[in-house]
Amino acid sequence: MIALTGTPVLHTERLTLRAPCPADWPQWLAYFATERSQLSGGPLADDRAWRAFCHHIGHWVMRGYGSFIVTRKGSDTAIGLIGPYHPIDWPEAELGWALWNVADEGKGLAYEAAAAARDHVFRDLGWPTAVSYIDPTNARSAALAKRLGAVLDPAARGPHPDDFVFRHPAPVGGAA
Amino acid sequence: MNAPTLHTARLTLGPATAAHAEAFIAFCASDESRFLGGPAEPRDAWEGVAIAAGLWALRGYGPFWVAESATGAPVGRVGLYYPIWRTEPELAWLVYPAYQQRGFGYEGAIAARDWAYATLGLAPLVSLIDAENTASIRLAEKLGAVCEGPHSPDGGHPTFRWRHPAREVLQ
């Protein structure tokens, strides 16, 4: 099987974050068929889901970084997509997050993964700042942004006119 | 995995670069991109470049970006395109308007086709071509492909399916 090579792997207490691979396709397709995928621009027909899958993998190739597939320790089954994302027309590079199954909510898993991804973009990628674009109706996601210490930046704009833009605090002493 | 680099007499085929992405975005903004479903916004064009890179990682093959070796100028894209809803990989080509009429499409398509046959051992390749895309139809004929009739697996504009000669026939 073909894979991206040389991509980082992040470990947290309960999770592993790694680059997407072909074996993630069934979970990806299943997620984007659900109403829950509104979190991520879905639901998508199969062909659009495939384009999005290729795009996210290609994002790693083009940018040298990309969003991580989240798995539970001890399993390689994808349960979410979390991390840096920057298509060319977005005002800034974003830190995004989505857990794909409602059963994984309420356990602090999204916080755990998003905190690891945030530390990665500041520490390893050297980002000077990071934002998260959140749909105003997505209260869960806004709560997570606040829990991560991010604050609303009223001066910044998102890719969609009504997005909330949360800005994450850079580490003390600036980006490494 | 990303695209390997191939050299022909005048062309270099390889992975995407910033220059290739920029040229493709400019092409997609023009009406010349209508046979690829354009015109398209820069965001969608950039996504197209990323999708091409993603296909290499997923399939182990995909489209090559083509530059004129002497100048390094991006001239287009040739290679294999195989989205999941199709039943076989396509040999596809694109030469930007400023570089047409110079045989670049023929030269690049042969390199990509022969690479696909020699490296991947693929069955006779298919090309899907818009009925109104006369330049592309001429190239398919020059490559020895035969029209098998209408076939539009992606919806949109009606396309015709052209079948390339098998590897054994070309040897």
Coordinates of all heavy atoms in Angstrom, one line a residue, chain B residues 102-136:
Chain B
R102 N 2.6 22.4 -30.8 CA 4.1 22.2 -30.8 C 4.4 20.7 -30.5 O 5.5 20.3 -30.4 CB 4.8 23.0 -29.8 CG 4.7 24.5 -30.2 CD 5.0 25.4 -29.0 NE 6.4 25.4 -28.6 CZ 6.9 26.2 -27.6 NH1 6.2 27.1 -27.1 NH2 8.2 26.1 -27.3
G103 N 3.3 19.9 -30.5 CA 3.6 18.4 -30.2 C 3.9 18.1 -28.8 O 4.3 16.9 -28.5
F104 N 3.7 19.0 -27.9 CA 4.0 18.7 -26.5 C 3.0 17.7 -25.9 O 3.4 16.9 -25.1 CB 4.0 20.0 -25.6 CG 5.2 20.9 -25.8 CD1 5.2 22.2 -25.3 CD2 6.3 20.4 -26.4 CE1 6.3 23.0 -25.4 CE2 7.5 21.3 -26.5 CZ 7.4 22.5 -26.0
G105 N 1.8 17.8 -26.3 CA 0.8 16.9 -25.8 C 1.1 15.5 -26.2 O 1.0 14.5 -25.4
Y106 N 1.5 15.3 -27.4 CA 1.8 14.0 -28.0 C 3.1 13.5 -27.2 O 3.1 12.3 -26.8 CB 2.1 14.1 -29.5 CG 2.4 12.9 -30.2 CD1 1.5 11.9 -30.3 CD2 3.7 12.7 -30.7 CE1 1.8 10.7 -31.0 CE2 4.1 11.5 -31.4 CZ 3.1 10.5 -31.5 OH 3.4 9.3 -32.2
E107 N 4.1 14.3 -27.1 CA 5.3 13.9 -26.5 C 5.1 13.5 -25.0 O 5.6 12.5 -24.5 CB 6.3 15.0 -26.6 CG 7.7 14.7 -26.2 CD 8.7 15.8 -26.6 OE1 8.5 16.5 -27.7 OE2 9.6 16.1 -25.8
G108 N 4.3 14.3 -24.3 CA 4.0 14.0 -22.9 C 3.2 12.8 -22.7 O 3.4 12.0 -21.8
A109 N 2.1 12.7 -23.5 CA 1.2 11.6 -23.4 C 1.9 10.3 -23.7 O 1.6 9.3 -23.0 CB 0.0 11.8 -24.3
I110 N 2.7 10.2 -24.6 CA 3.5 9.0 -24.9 C 4.3 8.6 -23.7 O 4.4 7.4 -23.3 CB 4.3 9.1 -26.2 CG1 3.4 9.0 -27.4 CG2 5.4 8.1 -26.3 CD1 4.2 9.1 -28.7
A111 N 5.0 9.6 -23.2 CA 5.9 9.3 -22.0 C 5.1 8.7 -20.8 O 5.5 7.8 -20.2 CB 6.6 10.6 -21.6
A112 N 3.9 9.4 -20.6 CA 3.1 8.9 -19.4 C 2.5 7.6 -19.7 O 2.4 6.7 -18.9 CB 2.0 9.9 -19.2
R113 N 2.0 7.4 -21.0 CA 1.4 6.1 -21.4 C 2.5 4.9 -21.3 O 2.2 3.9 -20.7 CB 0.9 6.2 -22.8 CG 0.3 4.9 -23.3 CD 0.2 4.9 -24.8 NE 1.5 4.8 -25.5 CZ 1.7 5.0 -26.8 NH1 0.7 5.3 -27.6 NH2 2.9 5.0 -27.3
D114 N 3.6 5.2 -21.8 CA 4.7 4.1 -21.8 C 5.1 3.9 -20.4 O 5.4 2.7 -20.0 CB 5.8 4.5 -22.7 CG 5.4 4.5 -24.2 OD1 4.3 4.1 -24.5 OD2 6.2 5.0 -25.0
W115 N 5.2 4.9 -19.5 CA 5.6 4.7 -18.1 C 4.5 3.8 -17.4 O 4.8 2.9 -16.7 CB 5.7 6.1 -17.4 CG 6.0 5.9 -16.0 CD1 7.2 5.8 -15.4 CD2 5.0 5.9 -14.9 NE1 7.1 5.7 -14.0 CE2 5.8 5.7 -13.7 CE3 3.6 6.0 -14.8 CZ2 5.1 5.7 -12.4 CZ3 3.0 5.9 -13.6 CH2 3.8 5.8 -12.4
A116 N 3.2 4.1 -17.7 CA 2.1 3.4 -17.1 C 2.2 1.9 -17.5 O 2.0 1.0 -16.7 CB 0.8 4.0 -17.5
Y117 N 2.5 1.7 -18.8 CA 2.5 0.3 -19.3 C 3.7 -0.4 -18.7 O 3.6 -1.6 -18.2 CB 2.5 0.3 -20.8 CG 1.2 0.5 -21.5 CD1 1.1 0.9 -22.8 CD2 0.0 0.3 -20.8 CE1 -0.1 1.1 -23.4 CE2 -1.2 0.5 -21.4 CZ -1.3 1.0 -22.7 OH -2.5 1.2 -23.3
A118 N 4.9 0.2 -18.7 CA 6.1 -0.4 -18.4 C 6.2 -0.6 -16.8 O 6.7 -1.6 -16.4 CB 7.3 0.4 -18.9
T119 N 5.8 0.4 -16.1 CA 6.0 0.4 -14.6 C 4.8 -0.3 -13.9 O 5.0 -1.0 -12.9 CB 6.1 1.8 -14.1 OG1 7.1 2.5 -14.9 CG2 6.5 1.8 -12.6
L120 N 3.6 -0.1 -14.4 CA 2.4 -0.6 -13.7 C 1.8 -1.8 -14.4 O 1.0 -2.5 -13.8 CB 1.4 0.5 -13.6 CG 1.9 1.9 -13.0 CD1 0.8 2.9 -13.2 CD2 2.2 1.7 -11.5
G121 N 2.2 -2.0 -15.6 CA 1.7 -3.2 -16.4 C 0.2 -3.1 -16.6 O -0.6 -4.1 -16.5
L122 N -0.3 -1.8 -16.8 CA -1.8 -1.6 -16.9 C -2.3 -2.2 -18.3 O -1.6 -2.2 -19.3 CB -2.1 -0.1 -16.8 CG -1.8 0.5 -15.5 CD1 -2.2 2.0 -15.5 CD2 -2.5 -0.2 -14.3
A123 N -3.6 -2.5 -18.2 CA -4.3 -2.9 -19.4 C -4.5 -1.7 -20.3 O -4.2 -0.6 -19.9 CB -5.7 -3.5 -19.0
P124 N -4.9 -1.9 -21.6 CA -5.1 -0.8 -22.5 C -5.8 0.4 -21.8 O -6.9 0.2 -21.3 CB -5.9 -1.3 -23.7 CG -5.5 -2.8 -23.7 CD -5.3 -3.2 -22.2
L125 N -5.2 1.6 -21.9 CA -5.8 2.7 -21.2 C -6.9 3.4 -22.0 O -7.0 3.2 -23.2 CB -4.7 3.7 -21.0 CG -3.7 3.3 -19.9 CD1 -2.4 4.2 -20.0 CD2 -4.3 3.4 -18.5
V126 N -7.7 4.1 -21.3 CA -8.9 4.8 -21.8 C -8.6 6.3 -21.7 O -7.9 6.8 -20.9 CB -10.1 4.4 -21.0 CG1 -10.2 5.0 -19.7 CG2 -11.4 4.7 -21.8
S127 N -9.2 7.1 -22.6 CA -9.2 8.5 -22.5 C -10.6 9.0 -22.8 O -11.3 8.5 -23.7 CB -8.3 9.2 -23.5 OG -6.9 9.0 -23.2
L128 N -11.2 9.9 -21.9 CA -12.5 10.4 -22.1 C -12.4 11.8 -22.6 O -11.8 12.7 -21.9 CB -13.3 10.4 -20.7 CG -13.4 9.0 -20.1 CD1 -14.1 9.0 -18.8 CD2 -14.1 8.0 -21.0
I129 N -13.0 12.1 -23.7 CA -12.8 13.3 -24.4 C -14.1 13.9 -24.8 O -15.0 13.3 -25.4 CB -11.9 13.1 -25.7 CG1 -10.6 12.4 -25.3 CG2 -11.6 14.5 -26.3 CD1 -9.7 12.1 -26.4
D130 N -14.3 15.2 -24.5 CA -15.5 16.0 -24.9 C -15.6 16.0 -26.4 O -14.6 16.1 -27.2 CB -15.3 17.4 -24.4 CG -16.6 18.2 -24.5 OD1 -17.0 18.5 -25.6 OD2 -17.1 18.6 -23.5
A131 N -16.9 15.8 -26.8 CA -17.1 15.7 -28.3 C -16.7 16.9 -29.0 O -16.4 16.8 -30.3 CB -18.6 15.4 -28.5
E132 N -16.6 18.0 -28.4 CA -16.3 19.3 -29.1 C -14.8 19.6 -28.9 O -14.3 20.7 -29.4 CB -17.1 20.4 -28.5 CG -18.6 20.3 -28.7 CD -19.4 21.3 -28.1 OE1 -18.9 22.3 -27.5 OE2 -20.7 21.2 -28.0
N133 N -14.0 18.8 -28.2 CA -12.6 19.1 -28.0 C -11.8 18.5 -29.2 O -11.1 17.5 -29.1 CB -12.2 18.5 -26.7 CG -10.8 19.0 -26.2 OD1 -10.1 19.6 -27.0 ND2 -10.4 18.7 -25.0
T134 N -11.8 19.2 -30.3 CA -11.2 18.7 -31.5 C -9.7 18.5 -31.4 O -9.2 17.5 -31.9 CB -11.6 19.6 -32.7 OG1 -11.2 20.9 -32.4 CG2 -13.0 19.5 -33.1
A135 N -9.0 19.4 -30.7 CA -7.6 19.3 -30.5 C -7.2 18.0 -29.8 O -6.3 17.3 -30.2 CB -7.0 20.5 -29.8
S136 N -8.0 17.7 -28.8 CA -7.8 16.5 -28.0 C -8.1 15.2 -28.8 O -7.4 14.2 -28.7 CB -8.6 16.6 -26.7 OG -8.1 15.7 -25.7

